[in-house]
Amino acid sequence: MTTPATSSGTGTLVLAATPIGRVEDAAPRLATELAGADIVAAEDTRRLRRLASDLGIEIPGRVVSYFEGNEHLRTESLLESLLAGDRVVLVTDAGMPSVSDPGYRLVAAAIEHDVPVTSVPGPSAVLTALAVSGLPVDRFCFEGFLPRKAGERTRRLAAVADDERTLVFFESPHRTHATLQAMAEVFGAERRGAVCRELTKTYEEVRRGSLADLVEWAQPGVRGEVTIVIEGAAPVEAVTDPATLAAQVARDEADGVPRKQAIVDVARRSGVPKRVVYDAVHRT
């Protein structure tokens, strides 16, 4: 049974999580929503048809594609349907729509036009990987896919190198080894991590260890869908002695780092505000 349109005449946008591996993991409501939707927007319509077959249902509503390449254009037409009273169910290939997948634009547009947005909770590679990683999960940061270019990837990693929260990344199998190498260089080879491969599927594998161990393991190549979980940085013990701070800035400057950047870097490494380092440098 579908949920009726709201009294204002608008429909409802439903973000429906799909299995990341086993179809048995699908929430019972997923089949109900797919069977009762006016429109189903799918990242891959062929995968949607296979999923519907596995769930033993027919999709009587209109099925349209909604993927990265057409997301911008398709959002407008789907919003029109929502404003006309349709119930639109959005699904991606696996997991929750809008989490590193298409969906954010449509959600933002619906909210802007006071269209109700709800969800069918379900499988999530991010939460599953965190749960089985063996690393702290009380605080975490999801970074999605890293940039493909080496320089941009290194800069992104450097930006989170001192984050004390557990970090979660998605990665393609053919880039996993290079990414782990970059992480070892930026985070340190002894930082702990877990590579979660083919979660919930037949050949599920979770490899845990230091980044040095994981780099060695991944060297021959990795197959399947990959989620990487990295432990957060150790808490920084604040350095407040002005002479020590000034000396660290001087060393960075001697290595060719501009003073302004050196002050920023030393403040980050020392766990103190930039002004404290600035005052230390200009006091000596």
Side-chain angles (χ1 to χ4, degrees):
M1 179 182 298
T2 61
T3 301
T6 62
S7 59
S8 64
T10 60
T12 299
L13 173 62
V14 182
L15 306 177
T18 54
I20 60 175
R22 299 176 183 272
V23 71
E24 304 96 299
D25 294 336
R29 266 188 60 210
L30 176 61
T32 302
E33 289 289 356
L34 290 175
D38 298 301
I39 300 173
V40 178
E43 186 176 12
D44 186 325
T45 57
R46 292 170 298 180
R47 288 198 182 191
L48 171 64
R49 297 296 186 189
R50 288 197 295 271
L51 175 61
S53 176
D54 290 339
L55 292 173
I57 62 169
E58 296 286 339
I59 300 180
R62 182 160 61 95
V63 174
V64 299
S65 63
Y66 189 79
F67 57 93
E68 186 178 355
N70 74 354
E71 186 177 3
H72 182 72
L73 295 175
R74 187 74 79 185
T75 293
E76 184 176 350
S77 64
L78 289 174
L79 178 61
E80 290 176 357
S81 297
L82 287 164
L83 292 174
D86 286 339
R87 190 170 184 86
V88 176
V89 175
L90 176 63
V91 296
T92 56
D93 291 346
M96 179 62 72
S98 80
V99 179
S100 200
D101 272 328
Y104 166 75
R105 287 188 178 88
L106 184 56
V107 172
I111 292 172
E112 183 180 356
H113 290 81
D114 295 322
V115 174
V117 179
T118 187
S119 69
V120 177
S124 164
V126 177
L127 296 181
T128 302
L130 277 166
V132 302
S133 69
L135 297 170
V137 297
D138 54 331
R139 297 173 64 236
F140 67 90
C141 174
F142 174 56
E143 283 290 315
F145 284 95
L146 290 166
R148 296 187 180 189
K149 294 183 178 179
E152 294 177 5
R153 179 179 58 206
T154 297
R155 285 191 289 274
R156 176 76 67 81
L157 291 173
V160 296
D162 296 323
D163 198 319
E164 296 178 14
R165 297 172 295 179
T166 298
L167 305 172
V168 185
F169 304 85
F170 285 161
E171 191 51 279
S172 65
H174 67 274
R175 290 198 300 268
T176 297
H177 180 250
T179 292
L180 290 170
Q181 281 186 314
M183 289 177 171
E185 293 170 3
V186 176
F187 298 156
E190 297 307 311
R191 182 87 70 95
R192 292 184 302 158
V195 178
C196 306
R197 186 180 72 84
E198 294 290 88
L199 285 169
T200 77
K201 300 177 184 177
T202 302
Y203 297 105
E204 175 181 287
E205 181 180 14
V206 180
R207 194 77 177 190
R208 306 173 183 88
S210 69
L211 281 170
D213 294 335
L214 295 175
V215 168
E216 182 178 357
W217 165 78
Q219 198 280 328
V222 177
R223 294 182 178 181
E225 301 291 331
V226 173
T227 305
I228 301 173
V229 186
I230 304 295
E231 74 172 337
V236 176
E237 187 173 336
V239 176
T240 58
D241 176 55
T244 301
L245 295 172
Q248 290 180 4
V249 172
R251 281 196 297 270
D252 282 7
E253 285 188 280
D255 290 336
V257 179
R259 173 170 290 190
K260 184 177 180 180
Q261 185 61 48
I263 289 174
V264 172
D265 293 344
V266 170
R268 175 178 54 81
R269 295 197 303 262
S270 303
V272 297
K274 286 186 294 183
R275 59 176 177 77
V276 172
V277 183
Y278 179 89
D279 290 344
V281 169
H282 289 85
R283 205 181 294 157
T284 58

